[in-house]
Amino acid sequence: MREAHWKDYELIDCSEGERLERWKDIILIRPDPQIIWKTPKKHPLWKKAHARYLRSNSGGGQWQYYQKLPEQWTIQYQDMTFGIKPMGFKHTGVFPEQAVNWDFAAEKIRQAKRPVKVLNLFAYTGAATLACLRAGAAVTHVDASKGMVQWAKENASLSHLADKPVRWLVDDCVKFVQREQRRGNKYDGIIMDPPSYGRGPGGEVWQLEEQLFHLVELCVPILSEDALFFILNSYTTGLSPSVMEYLLGVMLQKRFGGEVSASEIGLHVTESGLTLPCGSAAIWQKNNS
């Protein structure tokens, strides 16, 4: 299992469906349904958290604040800076386990030693976008949420990357890719982090398991013949790393060669020394020459 290495984020402990986390100097307790073990909550910060997200029996939930929190604070990863704030449905604006994928994409871009164009789909608050910009790529950042794209722009400014070659687009990812096909635009790297559940432009409900093949299929024609990588993330329990690996194998490896790998990604738990799985990633990459 691949792990990220942070200084400003720490998963201190996890037990009884909850994570005890440090976001720089702010301690949060957030729910995680896969934490089915009931180990003793011995760490003193369980009783000294700034806030805890409490799920509602009717769906959703709310933050309970024990100490005064700033409206927003920042954390750093390497020399990138991200704005953090408690949001609805337990999120904070960053998925720290994804840092392994940011590092991978950045390394592939640097190794290429040529101009690289990256497409970041379902791009959220832009951490992967910033990592690719920092490595020297030109990035097209696409998300359907205007608020998330604005947050990504703010993170770029905080990270002194706002002047880098980036297009910020508020758009439906599927429709955007279809238009890129018609325009004949190509990308050397694609990062895709689709939600487990979503609503289409007409309000129709869709599940990732049913749509993923189509999403990847749409992206194949816009990969350049000399493409470097394709990163597919999933937090959907029904999609195992092996299934995602097979999908990229039949869709990309047959056409472009290279190699495909997939694994769980996770976070080191300080208290236990174990790793909490936090999702899966499948990667196609061009063979290193």
Side-chain angles (χ1 to χ4, degrees), residues 10-44:
E10 179 185 8
L11 178 52
I12 301 167
D13 196 10
C14 53
S15 180
E16 295 186 80
E18 291 184 313
R19 299 183 185 190
L20 176 67
E21 300 172 301
R22 177 180 62 82
W23 298 83
K24 203 166 189 176
D25 54 358
I26 303 293
I27 305 301
L28 300 179
I29 298 173
R30 297 193 298 156
D32 188 331
Q34 69 176 336
I35 299 171
I36 59 174
W37 46 90
K38 297 182 180 181
T39 48
K41 294 181 175 179
K42 294 180 179 178
H43 200 287

Side-chain angles (χ1 to χ4, degrees), residues 205-256:
V205 178
W206 62 276
Q207 289 184 295
L208 183 58
E209 297 100 312
E210 299 169 0
Q211 299 295 327
L212 188 55
F213 175 80
H214 178 58
L215 285 171
V216 176
E217 185 179 40
L218 284 174
C219 289
V220 173
I222 64 171
L223 272 174
S224 68
E225 287 303 316
D226 199 23
L228 300 173
F229 62 83
F230 189 110
I231 301 174
L232 172 62
N233 291 306
S234 172
Y235 290 90
T236 304
T237 52
L239 281 172
S240 69
S242 298
V243 168
M244 293 162 59
E245 181 176 4
Y246 194 98
L247 175 63
L248 295 192
V250 296
M251 298 297 292
L252 300 177
Q253 194 173 20
K254 278 195 171 184
R255 173 169 173 175
F256 296 99

